[in-house]
Amino acid sequence: MMRKSGKKPGKKIRKNAFEDRFALIVEDYHKAKEVLDSLIVGTTEHNKQQTICNNLFASAERCIKSGS
């Protein structure tokens, strides 16, 4: 019996996966930021949306740190 080669994915594949994941996070952030900009500052809705934007931004930072 022959064994299968144990090739691991190359850096290019991992890089593409990272770029795709990061692009989705950035896209979500921009959408949330548009909603935030349309809300009145100081309202409950604005504060909730601000929290969402902050969480998405933190996710993007974590993605960058884990990808590099």
Side-chain angles (χ1 to χ4, degrees):
M1 260 176 116
M2 295 188 72
R3 291 175 36 153
K4 292 183 180 179
S5 65
K7 287 188 176 182
K8 294 183 180 179
K11 286 185 178 182
K12 186 171 185 167
I13 293 172
R14 286 190 299 240
K15 183 178 178 185
N16 289 340
F18 164 76
E19 289 174 354
D20 292 343
R21 189 171 76 238
F22 185 70
L24 289 174
I25 293 171
V26 170
E27 183 181 336
D28 289 344
Y29 174 77
H30 284 294
K31 288 177 184 176
K33 186 72 171 153
E34 284 180 24
V35 173
L36 178 67
D37 292 341
S38 70
L39 296 172
I40 298 170
V41 176
T43 61
T44 305
E45 294 84 11
H46 182 272
N47 294 339
K48 288 180 184 177
Q49 193 65 27
Q50 181 69 49
T51 302
I52 292 170
C53 286
N54 290 344
N55 290 340
L56 288 169
F57 190 82
S59 293
E61 286 182 324
R62 284 192 303 273
C63 183
I64 289 174
K65 287 179 183 177
S66 70
S68 55

